Amino acid sequence: MNRLNRIVLIAIISLVAVIAFQQIKSVSVINSAFERAELAIFDIQKTAASTGWNNVSLGGGGYVTGIYLHPLQKDLVYIKTDVGGFYRWNPREQSWVPITDHFPLSQRRYYGGEALAFDPKDPKIVYIAAGSYVWDRPGTIFKSTNQGATWTKLNLDLPMGGNQNKRWMGERLVVNPFNSNVIFFGSRQDGLWKSSNAGRSWTKVNSFPGIGKKDIGITAVLLDKQVSGLVYAIAYGDGIYKSTDTGVTWSKVEGSPQWPRRMATSRNGTLYATSAKGLGVSKYANGVWSNITPNNSQAVFNALSVNPANPDELVVALGETPSTKIYQSLDGGSTWTQMKRSMNNTVPWWTKIMRSQAWISAIEFDPKVAGRIWLTDWYGIWRTDDIKANPVVWTNYQKGHEEIVTFALVSPPKGPLLLSGMADVDGFYHNNGLDAYPSKTFSDNGPDFQDTYSIAYNDRDPSRIVRVGGNRWNNTYSGATSADGGVTWQKFASFPANKMPMRVAMSATNPNVLVVSISSGQAVRTDDGGATWSDVSGLPKGPKGPWNWSQSLAADTVDGNTFYYYAGGKLYRSTDGGVSFGTVNASLPRESWHSLKTVSGVKGEVWLSLDRKGLHRSTDGGKTFSQIAGVERAYLFAFGKPQRGSKIPALYLYGKIADMGEGIFRSLDRGRTWTSIGDRSKPIGNNPQVMEASKQQFGLVFIGTGGRGIYYRTL
């Protein structure tokens, strides 16, 4: 190697070292620059093997409230969801690519999908209206010029409700097919808005006279593709309005349905609308409305699409019901045929209702593939490639669409790598690993719960596991135990009536001793595995559930008689197997968002995260706590298997470290020093609810979310 090459090589190595050192910092005081460099190199080696953050494969499970197919580019398909953000179809991989995962925790409201619209003249341009609840901070509209790879925030901040009532209707956001600079947005609370410069600025359309129902507002805006300037808009509860001058002036379309769901126009200028009972499907042609509801049905119709290649062919579907029916007409709605369906389900654990296309939100003809129709519903995305078949074969395409809400995660030291408690689909023993769908839900080998709220295992014998949950739909709750690591479950012989269990802890020495906190009620315990129950004394009432993710209850991992509970700035402790609790520490900060955890194999070691009030550790059973220096925010944390040669458990944190900022971190020395393991492009900001780390595999950590399923990372 000549002298010049050596100089270049040294410069490159120095630059890489400087960059790496800037990326991987320590909050501890290191005595010398040499020691700092050694630490940076050590951390570079550890993070070099990282595979990044990925989704645990579950397979859908959340409401897909809209689907959008571009008229110019084949296979350019987008979906919006109520709590999981937005996705774009990857035809090569036959999977969905999340395009809004860059929103951090501070912008978690943007994972609520209020609306989506693309520029019909330019396949690169797409807009989204993002915001979860009208009572939360305002939502906004974003624009992308590269199909969702990056986004620019536009100057329109309004209350939005991507996860609120009537979110399955639409579409609120639309781009003018004759002039891409003109965009309309129908809001829930603030009327109709218009941009004339491709979203750079917006003005309220004060001339629009429609008044929609409170917090639902203007549910759809439709621009005719054949007649320039012709616009329709739905004011929900008021009817359909019409403009012939691109929204300058408006008039109500007389005779229009009062409660329309969706609209579509055909190539010959006919307007179709779906609606509530009595006028389920109607059409407007030559100034006259006609009721064309299939079979004079009194059901609610929602999804609607007209074939862009044939103005007389349309499909409609019942909405707001699990008893779905889909109808096709080839003569503009004069006659209808109910489709016979055959379901090609690709997710092995999907239940009967999930396979039935429940509560259909949208149905769309593919403008580039004849005979192909897409459909979205409560749980996912379906497609048929031959609408003329009898029966029509529908296949669900779920790969990449991960939207289930997580309640609980457990990774025992033996047995399954992961057990998960979920909303609406009970939970899973992940028998096929992390990158393949589970075969079954808990309910397939045990009691049938809608939700599993908490899971715990016996530290001495991890094959003994307990979970608690139940059914919100009929207000019945209970729990179940497993003696084989979660493969099969036995329902509690009894459980107090009308009590929602929130958290469960199992004695470290006796798996029949369980303590359960109760939503808005007094905690209960059993010493016979759930056959009989008694009230626990000395604890305050539990927080209201089920939408509460704080972890207030934990069992000591060595002393089977000891349990801990945090509430309102106090740590409570029981030393009689959960029969009674007493205050052991009353000087802790008060914080509603918290996690209480104990360390495996160490008696009396208790850790408590208190969000912006830091991370705290006790080694004397909660009598005293010390705050971990440098942890400025402890939103979530977890303990995992120690690195080789160490007995100190790996500590993972979702929060903020001094001089390192917000992110996801790992410490191998009980919080003295930290390494960033986060990804700024994927901050896992969609309501991270629970964090767990593997007790079997060093470096494996999980984060369960409120709408993007479960993430994992292996280091």
Side-chain angles (χ1 to χ4, degrees), residues 403-480:
E403 200 191 346
I404 305 178
V405 173
T406 312
F407 275 122
L409 298 175
V410 161
S411 182
K414 295 180 181 179
L417 198 61
L418 180 66
L419 295 168
S420 60
M422 315 301 286
D424 295 316
V425 295
D426 198 358
F428 303 99
Y429 178 112
H430 294 264
N431 62 312
N432 293 323
L434 304 178
D435 299 319
Y437 301 145
S439 298
K440 301 176 180 179
T441 66
F442 290 150
S443 299
D444 287 300
N445 292 306
D448 186 7
F449 294 159
Q450 179 183 7
D451 308 321
T452 289
Y453 302 129
S454 181
I455 309 172
Y457 62 86
N458 179 265
D459 207 77
R460 182 173 295 182
D461 180 6
S463 66
R464 302 296 297 272
I465 299 178
V466 61
R467 64 186 176 96
V468 293
N471 305 301
R472 282 175 282 121
W473 66 272
N474 65 356
N475 197 37
T476 59
Y477 303 97
S478 186

Side-chain angles (χ1 to χ4, degrees), residues 139-300:
T140 196
I141 296 179
F142 294 88
K143 179 179 181 178
S144 175
T145 58
N146 50 20
Q147 297 182 348
T150 59
W151 296 92
T152 299
K153 182 184 180 302
L154 302 182
N155 188 29
L156 184 63
D157 298 315
L158 297 171
M160 297 185 188
N163 192 35
Q164 289 192 235
N165 191 21
K166 306 305 179 186
R167 59 193 180 276
W168 48 88
M169 305 191 306
E171 298 296 329
R172 297 176 180 271
L173 186 65
V174 65
V175 179
N176 190 341
F178 294 94
N179 181 355
S180 298
N181 286 319
V182 175
I183 309 171
F184 286 94
F185 175 68
S187 74
R188 287 180 177 263
Q189 293 185 340
D190 296 276
L192 182 64
W193 291 76
K194 179 180 179 180
S195 173
S196 298
N197 51 17
R200 289 193 299 275
S201 63
W202 296 80
T203 57
K204 187 174 182 179
V205 183
N206 292 314
S207 61
F208 183 76
I211 300 176
K213 186 176 179 180
K214 182 182 178 182
D215 293 340
I216 299 177
I218 300 171
T219 58
V221 184
L222 176 66
L223 288 105
D224 192 275
K225 297 180 179 64
Q226 309 301 320
V227 180
S228 178
L230 180 55
V231 190
Y232 298 97
I234 293 174
Y236 189 69
D238 188 6
I240 299 176
Y241 287 79
K242 175 182 177 181
S243 172
T244 58
D245 51 15
T246 320
V248 177
T249 60
W250 294 85
S251 61
K252 190 171 185 178
V253 182
E254 294 300 325
S256 67
Q258 182 180 0
W259 306 98
R261 266 56 177 176
R262 287 181 175 265
M263 299 182 293
T265 54
S266 67
R267 203 171 58 192
N268 61 15
T270 300
L271 172 68
Y272 295 92
T274 55
S275 186
K277 300 176 182 179
L279 195 61
V281 185
S282 55
K283 75 175 182 179
Y284 181 68
N286 301 316
V288 178
W289 283 98
S290 303
N291 185 349
I292 58 170
T293 306
N295 300 330
N296 295 313
S297 173
Q298 293 299 303
V300 174

